[in-house]
Amino acid sequence: MPGGRILIVNPNSSARVTAVIDRALEPLRRTTSMRIEVVGNPSGPPGIALQADADSVAPFVQDTVGQSDALACVIACFSDPGLHGAREASAGRIVLGCGESGILHAMMSGDRFGIISLSESSTQRQRRMVRTMGVASRYAGSVSLSATAEDVTSPAMFEAMAGAGDELVRQGANVVVMGCAGMAHCRDALERRLGVIVIDPVDSAVAMAIGLCCLKGSRVHGDAA
């Protein structure tokens, strides 16, 4: 859809996380004529460490999505804060959460998925998400890095992420999902190291958004014909 726009919303205040997301989406930008724009939340917490953090940024996500004229919006936080309210506020536009999208992509890519999480509180939210989605039988578990969203933007975290991935493979995962948008820069190297498919959930959500926009556009043009 020429001239269309996809808005990526990072609900935390970390400029480093926003920059990592933006750079990681360059390959997708080369595949589409749609503009892919990434915005952060300067007034938000530096990371979504607790459920309270996720709850606190939900109004920002919902307001940003509701006021946007983008064809599609993606929430670039694995906890998907404000997702359902944002969909209600979106007047029928496409709104995706990267956590939900990453898990769906993982289930299309292998039998069992595991998640590299930032912290134990992140792991708890991931378990709730898996149960809510009804896909617990496909979930091998989560392994925590005991890190922050900003920590994982550093290449120095790669070995810790690889160790977590190895543990997930030992637990039966044949797909590994990175449980934070700030991990995106490690995807290719992590996939080579682990020897299994590694999912960057923001990349997955944006790719889905592009496809859904194209599908929606084809229906509009088909109806007009």
Side-chain angles (χ1 to χ4, degrees), residues 11 25 51 134:
L25 291 172
Q51 183 62 48

Side-chain angles (χ1 to χ4, degrees), residues 157-180:
M157 287 296 299
F158 177 76
E159 289 301 326
M161 292 175 63
D166 282 334
E167 178 59 29
L168 290 169
V169 172
R170 284 193 290 271
Q171 291 177 12
N174 58 2
V175 182
V176 170
V177 183
M178 298 188 297
C180 175

